[in-house]
Amino acid sequence: MGAIYPLKQKMKTNKKLIPVYRVMRVVHPAVGAAMILIGLLHGSMVLGQLRLHSGSLVVLTLIVMALVAVAGNKLAAFRKIWRPIHRGLGMVLVVLLLAHLIFPWWL
């Protein structure tokens, strides 16, 4: 996926990762947007329409993550707290994605 936080943590001890981190910071929003679009397309192609499914929760989490990131950059009151929320949603995303891959019809 597009997680850059682990890379940032490893960069503290390995300075060779700085150029990779810079590229990831630029690519990260585009990867998120692509994941949302591909998820919506995938869901509509598989189910024939958009409806509640375990994959819908994955896409919904991605959309909320994007909204949190946009709000964090635009709203001064949200500027200091959006990153931990974004990271937490990333962990929720991994769990939901695994659940979707292992048990797609659980919802």
Side-chain angles (χ1 to χ4, degrees):
M1 295 205 283
I4 61 175
Y5 183 70
L7 182 62
K8 185 176 182 179
Q9 295 303 314
K10 289 185 183 197
M11 191 178 66
K12 292 177 183 175
T13 57
N14 186 355
K15 299 299 179 191
K16 293 179 182 179
L17 294 175
I18 291 174
V20 176
Y21 176 72
R22 288 185 179 145
V23 170
M24 283 291 293
R25 281 195 59 163
V26 172
V27 173
H28 183 81
V31 169
M35 288 170 63
I36 291 170
L37 293 175
I38 290 169
L40 289 171
L41 182 65
H42 167 70
S44 65
M45 288 175 63
V46 170
L47 299 173
Q49 63 183 355
L50 293 178
R51 64 178 190 201
L52 188 60
H53 181 264
S54 61
S56 306
L57 296 178
V58 173
V59 173
L60 184 63
T61 304
L62 286 167
I63 292 169
V64 171
M65 287 178 75
L67 292 174
V68 165
V70 169
N73 289 322
K74 299 291 182 192
L75 303 174
F78 204 51
R79 206 162 272 152
K80 293 186 181 196
I81 62 167
W82 78 270
R83 282 188 176 95
I85 295 170
H86 192 74
R87 276 186 227 122
L89 285 169
M91 289 182 234
V92 170
L93 176 67
V94 170
V95 170
L96 288 173
L97 185 61
L98 287 173
H100 174 63
L101 292 173
I102 296 169
F103 307 109
W105 300 105
W106 66 271
L107 184 63

